[in-house]
């Protein structure tokens, strides 16, 4: 929690003024029992209505001033807490955006969402309550005890015994509940994960008639969360009855002692009432303090969970220089075009974090500038893993991936990512206009460039039919578009930036064969400046590539042109003939 408080530094004034105004309110509250004692002992005892009215006005003024101080304190505390959580969310989101695929895969999306929402909300609430009550409640408790000593020493000793007993109860509950609240938040992660899976896969669940089964799974996970919350709730619920027993016992003892002192003339009736009021104030404040501690316990648990995300370091370490300057890189590329391959894999291996074995093993191949490379293989053979290494979404475990003769690890990441345009397997579009989505590829793209990219990706025809054209509003996740339309727009988004290396990672799977063929023909017209990788399950999509890589279990088992592989690569033969029966082919 302490490390997160740096996000409060821009709210130092609010963090000081909030508690300060609460202490002012508490000071006025401590004066109230003395005013009440004066009214009873002087005004009522002497039947002096003027005195009672005068001190009644003072009570009203004390109440009004206290209310103003309380509202002011609440304003500053809320401003500081909301500002703190805003900056914390920004910082956490920025940190998550800087993590590589490796860390995001390991932590999990549902966990990151919980940290960004529920956990930070809880921390915000904790900061707000702390600024309002953390100083006020102890101030009232000890202030009331000191004021009691000014009235009567013997009666005040009851306060000295009651306050430590109450403190033991409150802090014991806090120590027991802290670890349980951590488990509660962990269970919340599981419920969120299950909810996200069900919402994302709602159509699949209905298609396989698994609603009842998923409902039972949700009930089970939610039941675990409910049970744990009820258990920790029952522990914290003990705070109120135990503290009430102690306080009311102290009040009984106080009234008994006060009655004796009044009887012998050492105390007045007003002073006894003041002592009882101080004891009641202590009761109220300790209940507030107990609730504050419960909230702080949750906030500390959530803050530690947020901090754990900040402590995750990105496995992709960026090097801005390695014997070459950015400018010299650009300068030397022109001289290297005819000498150095565009892309080269040298004994490349990849092992995912916590994986038992390698995902890619000993990959060796060379790609010249302007070539089209087809990558094919069975599900899980490592096709996507291979192309992700080019853009350095993952780092190799062994070996080197070279672009224009330089290791990808030696490039500044922004320079490397500008050189590579990648279209992922899952077509992802963002809520907003079609124009805004295309500008993700190139921020300053002109309308002419947009239409050209749409034409190349075979998306122009359907975009013209949409109301508004480029200003057509895409709903969240592109739900108002078909699968093929989404894929073509994501391809257009990659093409608009005119990258040196274009990677189509099974991004035409929703297109029909005719549109797929037109797309590949259009990409060929771009020229020899762009190196293209086509990852596909369809043999027809890659059979005209300059070079085809056949993957099986993370290894290259075939390399060459379509005709060569059809003769000497068993894996390629199986894939091809499963799609094109032998009798239907000329091979």
């Amino acid at each position: 929690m302490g490390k997160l408080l740096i996000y409060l530094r821009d709210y130092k004034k609010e963090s000081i003024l909030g508690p300060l105004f609460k202490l002012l309110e508490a000071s006025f509250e401590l004066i109230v029992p003395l005013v009440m004692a004066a009214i009873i002992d002087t005004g009522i005892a002497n039947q002096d209505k003027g005195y009672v009215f005068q001190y009644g006005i003072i009570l009203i003024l004390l109440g009004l001033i206290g209310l103003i101080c309380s509202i002011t304190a609440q304003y500053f505390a809320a401003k500081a807490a909301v500002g703190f959580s805003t900056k914390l969310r920004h910082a956490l989101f920025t940190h998550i955006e800087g993590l590589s695929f490796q860390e995001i895969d390991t932590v999990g999306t549902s966990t990151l969402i919980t940290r960004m929402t529920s956990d930070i909300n809880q921390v915000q609430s904790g900061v707000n309550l702390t600024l309002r009550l953390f100083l006020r409640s102890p101030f009232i408790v000890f202030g009331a005890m000191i004021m009691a000593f000014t009235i009567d020493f013997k009666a005040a000793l009851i306060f000295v015994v009651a306050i430590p007993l109450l403190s033991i109860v409150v802090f014991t509950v806090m120590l027991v509940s802290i670890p349980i609240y951590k488990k509660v938040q962990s269970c919340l992660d599981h419920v969120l994960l299950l909810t996200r899976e069900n919402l994302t896969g709602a159509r699949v669940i209905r298609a396989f008639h698994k609603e009842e089964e998923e409902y039972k799974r949700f009930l089970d996970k939610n039941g675990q969360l409910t049970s744990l919350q009820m258990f920790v709730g029952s522990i914290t619920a003990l705070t109120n009855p135990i503290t009430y027993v102690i306080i009311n016992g102290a009040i009984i003892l106080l009234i008994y002692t006060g009655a004796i002192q009044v009887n012998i003339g050492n105390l007045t009736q007003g002073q006894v009432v003041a002592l009882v009021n101080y004891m009641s104030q202590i009761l109220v404040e300790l209940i507030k303090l107990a609730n504050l501690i419960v909230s702080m316990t949750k906030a500390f648990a959530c803050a530690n969970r947020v901090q754990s995300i900040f402590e995750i370091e990105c496995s992709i370490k960026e090097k801005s220089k390695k014997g070459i300057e950015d400018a010299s890189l650009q300068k030397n590329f022109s001289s290297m075009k005819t000498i150095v391959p565009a892309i080269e894999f040298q004994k490349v291996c990849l092992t995912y974090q916590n994986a038992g074995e390698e995902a890619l093993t000993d990959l060796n191949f060379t790609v010249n500038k302007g070539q089209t490379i087809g990558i094919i293989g069975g599900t899980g053979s490592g096709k996507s893993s291979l192309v992700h290494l080019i853009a350095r979404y993952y780092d190799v475990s062994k070996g080197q991936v070279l672009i224009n003769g330089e290791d990808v690890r030696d490039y500044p990441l922004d320079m490397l990512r500008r050189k590579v345009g990648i279209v992922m397997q899952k077509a992802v579009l963002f809520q907003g206009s079609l124009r805004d989505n295309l500008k993700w590829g190139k921020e300053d793209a002109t309308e002419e460039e947009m239409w050209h990219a749409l034409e190349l990706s075979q998306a122009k025809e359907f975009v013209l039919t949409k109301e508004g054209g480029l200003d057509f509003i895409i709903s969240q996740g592109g739900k108002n578009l078909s699968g093929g339309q989404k894929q073509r727009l994501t391809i257009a988004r990659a093409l608009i930036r005119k990258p040196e290396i274009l990677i189509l990672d099974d991004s035409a799977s929703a297109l029909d064969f005719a549109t797929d063929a037109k797309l590949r023909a259009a990409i060929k017209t771009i020229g020899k400046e762009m190196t293209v990788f086509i990852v596909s399950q369809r043999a027809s999509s890659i059979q005209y590539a300059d070079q085809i890589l056949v993957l099986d279990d993370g290894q290259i088992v075939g390399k060459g042109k379509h005709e060569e592989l059809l003769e000497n690569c068993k894996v390629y033969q199986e894939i091809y003939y499963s799609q094109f029966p032998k009798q239907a082919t000329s091979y």
Side-chain angles (χ1 to χ4, degrees):
M1 179 71 178
K3 293 180 181 178
L4 301 183
L5 292 179
I6 59 170
Y7 300 106
L8 261 179
R9 62 188 172 192
D10 292 334
Y11 298 93
K12 290 178 182 176
K13 180 183 74 175
E14 288 82 0
S15 299
I16 293 170
L17 290 176
L20 182 62
F21 275 97
K22 271 294 176 182
L23 291 181
L24 283 174
E25 180 206 354
S27 300
F28 291 122
E29 193 171 324
L30 289 173
I31 297 171
V32 170
L34 296 180
V35 176
M36 285 297 299
I39 290 173
I40 293 169
D41 291 338
T42 305
I44 296 176
N46 299 327
Q47 296 185 349
D48 187 343
K49 292 183 181 179
Y51 188 89
V52 172
F53 179 77
Q54 181 183 350
Y55 273 75
I57 295 295
I58 293 173
L59 280 178
I60 293 170
L61 287 174
L62 287 173
L64 287 173
I65 295 170
L67 176 63
I68 293 168
C69 289
S70 178
I71 292 171
T72 306
Q74 176 61 54
Y75 168 76
F76 286 123
K79 185 178 179 181
V82 172
F84 162 79
S85 66
T86 301
K87 288 183 176 293
L88 180 57
R89 269 199 193 89
H90 278 297
L92 184 61
F93 186 78
T94 302
H95 179 74
I96 291 171
E97 287 290 289
L99 296 177
S100 72
F101 285 12
Q102 188 112 312
E103 288 77 49
I104 293 173
D105 292 344
T106 303
V107 177
T109 308
S110 62
T111 298
L112 295 175
I113 291 172
T114 306
R115 301 292 195 273
M116 285 284 296
T117 53
S118 173
D119 285 340
I120 291 183
N121 285 341
Q122 196 65 59
V123 175
Q124 175 186 323
S125 177
V127 170
N128 192 346
L129 289 172
T130 300
L131 292 176
R132 287 165 47 206
L133 300 175
F134 188 68
L135 291 179
R136 183 189 189 281
S137 293
F139 182 80
I140 288 282
V141 170
F142 291 103
M145 184 175 69
I146 292 167
M147 296 297 284
F149 272 103
T150 63
I151 295 173
D152 182 69
F153 182 82
K154 289 182 179 179
L157 292 176
I158 298 171
F159 288 76
V160 176
V161 176
I163 290 173
L165 286 175
L166 291 165
S167 300
I168 290 170
V169 171
V170 168
F171 285 102
T172 300
V173 169
M174 181 187 72
L175 292 173
V176 171
S177 58
I178 284 177
I180 303 175
Y181 276 119
K182 290 181 181 178
K183 291 181 181 178
V184 167
Q185 291 300 119
S186 180
C187 281
L188 186 61
D189 279 350
H190 295 308
V191 171
L192 184 61
L193 172 62
L194 193 60
T195 306
R196 184 173 178 273
E197 283 180 343
N198 276 268
L199 290 174
T200 305
R203 295 182 181 183
V204 178
I205 292 169
R206 290 176 184 175
F208 288 91
H209 193 56
K210 291 289 183 180
E211 295 96 331
E212 193 65 32
E213 187 176 319
E214 290 301 312
Y215 178 65
K216 288 177 181 176
R217 280 183 65 205
F218 179 81
L219 281 182
D220 179 51
K221 292 292 183 184
N222 196 48
Q224 290 177 19
L225 174 63
T226 304
S227 299
L228 206 55
Q229 284 180 319
M230 288 178 68
F231 176 65
V232 72
S234 63
I235 293 174
T236 53
L238 290 173
T239 308
N240 281 10
I242 295 175
T243 50
Y244 270 107
V245 167
I246 295 171
I247 285 290
N248 284 306
I251 289 175
I252 291 169
L253 189 58
L254 192 62
I255 292 172
Y256 175 76
T257 306
I260 294 172
Q261 294 295 317
V262 169
N263 194 41
I264 61 177
N266 291 339
L267 283 178
T268 64
Q269 292 173 332
Q271 287 174 324
V272 173
V273 171
L275 288 170
V276 172
N277 277 341
Y278 282 129
M279 187 62 78
S280 298
Q281 283 182 352
I282 290 173
L283 170 62
V284 171
E285 292 306 320
L286 279 172
I287 296 302
K288 286 183 183 178
L289 186 61
N291 292 329
L292 170 64
I293 288 172
V294 170
S295 296
M296 285 179 66
T297 301
K298 293 179 183 177
F300 271 108
C302 293
N304 290 334
R305 284 156 53 84
V306 172
Q307 182 60 34
S308 69
I309 303 298
F310 279 114
E311 289 171 357
I312 297 172
E313 292 186 11
C314 180
S315 58
I316 304 292
K317 302 297 181 185
E318 183 175 7
K319 295 181 183 177
S320 58
K321 296 179 182 179
K322 188 184 176 184
I324 50 174
E325 297 290 334
D326 293 359
S328 65
L329 261 177
Q330 297 287 2
K331 182 180 177 181
N332 293 336
F333 284 165
S334 57
S335 63
M336 292 193 295
K337 284 178 184 176
T338 56
I339 304 170
V340 181
I343 298 166
E344 189 174 0
F345 275 55
Q346 296 181 351
K347 297 181 179 179
V348 168
C349 299
L350 171 65
T351 305
Y352 289 114
Q353 193 170 348
N354 303 322
E357 56 186 28
E358 291 178 334
L360 297 173
T361 304
D362 200 27
L363 302 187
N364 291 282
F365 64 89
T366 300
V367 180
N368 294 321
K369 196 171 187 68
Q371 281 190 321
T372 297
I373 307 300
I375 301 175
I376 197 167
T379 303
S381 58
K383 303 185 295 296
S384 294
S385 299
L386 186 154
V387 293
H388 284 166
L389 293 176
I390 298 172
R392 207 186 168 200
Y393 294 130
Y394 297 94
D395 264 343
V396 298
S397 306
K398 298 176 187 175
Q400 284 183 306
V401 178
L402 306 176
I403 294 182
N404 295 325
E406 288 293 334
D407 195 313
V408 292
R409 290 170 290 191
D410 295 334
Y411 281 92
L413 281 176
D414 60 338
M415 178 186 285
L416 176 64
R417 303 280 165 80
R418 282 198 303 269
K419 294 168 75 65
V420 180
I422 186 167
V423 185
M424 300 287 188
Q425 280 179 307
K426 184 179 179 182
V428 176
L429 295 169
F430 296 86
Q431 187 173 15
S433 70
L434 196 150
R435 185 191 305 273
D436 292 336
N437 274 271
L438 289 176
K439 283 187 175 182
W440 274 58
K442 186 180 179 184
E443 195 171 348
D444 58 347
T446 63
E447 196 160 309
E448 184 181 351
E449 288 175 318
M450 291 182 192
W451 283 114
H452 181 59
L454 290 169
E455 187 176 358
L456 289 173
S457 67
Q458 309 305 303
K460 184 177 180 180
E461 185 179 345
F462 86 79
V463 171
L464 289 171
T465 65
K466 298 293 182 183
E467 186 179 350
L470 291 175
D471 295 314
F472 171 72
I473 298 301
I474 297 172
S475 64
Q476 184 181 359
K479 287 185 172 61
N480 56 342
L481 298 172
S482 69
Q485 289 172 340
K486 286 193 287 185
Q487 285 191 336
R488 281 178 279 173
L489 286 178
T490 54
I491 292 169
R493 185 172 59 192
L495 287 171
I496 201 170
R497 71 194 304 174
K498 298 175 182 175
E500 288 184 28
I501 302 164
L502 176 66
I503 299 171
L504 303 178
D505 185 6
D506 205 14
S507 53
S509 57
L511 303 184
D512 57 69
F513 285 97
T515 307
D516 186 17
K518 288 179 184 177
L519 172 64
R520 285 184 278 109
I523 291 173
K524 274 186 175 291
T525 64
I526 296 174
K528 291 293 182 183
E529 293 300 308
M530 185 185 292
T531 305
V532 181
F533 283 80
I534 300 175
V535 178
S536 182
Q537 301 279 5
R538 292 177 181 173
S540 61
S541 297
I542 52 94
Q543 68 179 11
Y544 299 109
D546 298 310
Q547 185 179 186
I548 299 172
L549 304 177
V550 184
L551 293 182
D552 185 39
D553 198 21
Q555 296 179 311
I556 295 178
V557 295
K559 182 166 44 175
K561 288 185 176 291
H562 170 70
E563 294 82 2
E564 299 170 6
L565 294 171
L566 209 55
E567 289 180 7
N568 54 40
C569 182
K570 187 177 178 181
V571 175
Y572 188 75
Q573 290 170 359
E574 289 175 357
I575 295 171
Y576 184 78
Y577 288 128
S578 68
Q579 298 172 15
F580 302 95
K582 286 188 178 183
Q583 60 269 27
T585 67
S586 59
Y587 300 102

